[in-house]
Amino acid sequence: WNPKGITLHIIVKPPYCKTIWAFLIYLLTGATILWYFIASRTKKLKSANQILREKQYQALEIAKQKEDLSRKNKSITDSINYAKRIQEAMMPSEYLFNKLLADAFILYQPKDIVSGDFYWITEKRNKIFIAAVDCTGHGVPGAFMSIIGYDLLKTITKEREIENPAEILNQLNEGVADTFSKNVVDGDVKDGMDIAICVIDKNNQTLEFAGAMNPLFI
């Protein structure tokens, strides 16, 4: 019925999800998500890196402080060890003990490197003076007290020539009080020492004892 034919132009439009604008939106959305992911990841890495640097800095500071403490501790320990040598040189030797008292022995066990405990022995006019002393405190404070006590005992017996053990303790008590009262406002002296002292008269074969908080066992 139509020998000449006919031409039809049919335009089929794709759905919007497949248009170029849709692909551009997809591209922008994907780029935005990728950028956000990279930015977020980078921020987390920077934060973690900052925390790591802070921890490294803290570790270096701790290592430096530890080194400083070790150096100071070594210096203090060396000084205390040297003080120990001085304290041991101050106290009488076992040779002197065995010379004056053949059956005597020394039990000396400091709590710290230096000690507030000390022993003392001397001989004068055929009399043997022997004492065991426990000073206030331990370590360095006690060691200073032991030096004061040792010097006072030597002064009382050698220079003042006091031989009665009770009077020696009285003089020792006054000496300690005088030493510390210089810097005490209220006159209440807290420092002191517990002591047991014996005077052995070799001629008369007698032993006199006086004690301050320490007894004598026979």
Side-chain angles (χ1 to χ4, degrees):
W1 61 272
N2 188 3
K4 292 182 180 181
I6 188 170
T7 303
L8 297 175
H9 293 278
I10 300 172
I11 299 174
V12 180
K13 292 184 178 180
Y16 187 77
C17 62
K18 293 183 179 181
T19 61
I20 189 170
W21 294 108
F23 283 114
L24 288 174
I25 291 173
Y26 299 154
L27 182 62
L28 288 174
T29 303
T32 302
I33 294 173
L34 182 62
W35 174 85
Y36 180 79
F37 174 78
I38 294 175
S40 176
R41 184 68 176 169
T42 304
K43 184 178 180 181
K44 288 181 179 179
L45 288 174
K46 286 183 178 179
S47 177
N49 192 37
Q50 179 66 24
I51 293 172
L52 182 61
R53 281 200 299 266
E54 290 177 357
K55 288 183 177 180
Q56 288 176 339
Y57 177 76
Q58 291 174 357
L60 289 173
E61 285 294 313
I62 291 173
K64 183 180 178 182
Q65 291 175 3
K66 183 179 179 181
E67 184 180 353
D68 291 341
L69 287 174
S70 296
R71 185 168 58 251
K72 290 178 181 178
N73 183 62
K74 184 178 183 304
S75 177
I76 294 171
T77 304
D78 289 344
S79 298
I80 295 177
N81 282 325
Y82 191 77
K84 176 186 177 183
R85 291 174 55 191
I86 296 174
Q87 189 181 39
E88 288 178 347
M90 175 191 74
M91 290 189 288
S93 64
E94 288 191 48
Y95 171 79
L96 179 60
F97 264 89
N98 293 328
K99 178 182 176 182
L100 298 179
L101 297 172
D103 297 327
F105 68 93
I106 300 171
L107 177 62
Y108 180 63
Q109 296 178 320
K111 178 178 178 292
D112 300 306
I113 298 174
V114 290
S115 176
D117 303 331
F118 73 96
Y119 48 90
W120 173 77
I121 191 170
T122 189
E123 185 178 26
K124 180 181 177 184
R125 287 196 286 267
N126 223 28
K127 288 185 178 182
I128 299 172
F129 299 79
I130 181 171
V133 191
D134 178 9
C135 297
T136 303
H138 297 280
V140 175
F144 276 109
M145 281 295 299
S146 71
I147 293 173
I148 293 171
Y150 191 91
D151 185 65
L152 285 171
L153 285 173
K154 194 163 62 171
T155 300
I156 293 166
T157 55
K158 295 289 185 181
E159 297 180 11
R160 301 178 191 174
E161 297 187 344
I162 296 173
E163 298 181 355
N164 179 269
E167 184 58 28
I168 291 174
L169 291 194
N170 289 332
Q171 294 279 331
L172 181 64
N173 184 54
E174 292 177 6
V176 172
D178 289 342
T179 300
F180 286 95
S181 62
K182 299 172 185 176
N183 297 319
V184 176
V185 177
D186 57 3
D188 186 13
V189 179
K190 302 294 184 184
D191 299 284
M193 54 193 74
D194 300 339
I195 179 172
I197 183 168
C198 295
V199 178
I200 302 171
D201 190 330
K202 293 194 292 185
N203 291 334
N204 298 322
Q205 291 293 297
T206 59
L207 181 147
E208 291 181 276
F209 166 78
M213 306 300 292
N214 278 350
L216 172 69
F217 292 91
I218 302 177

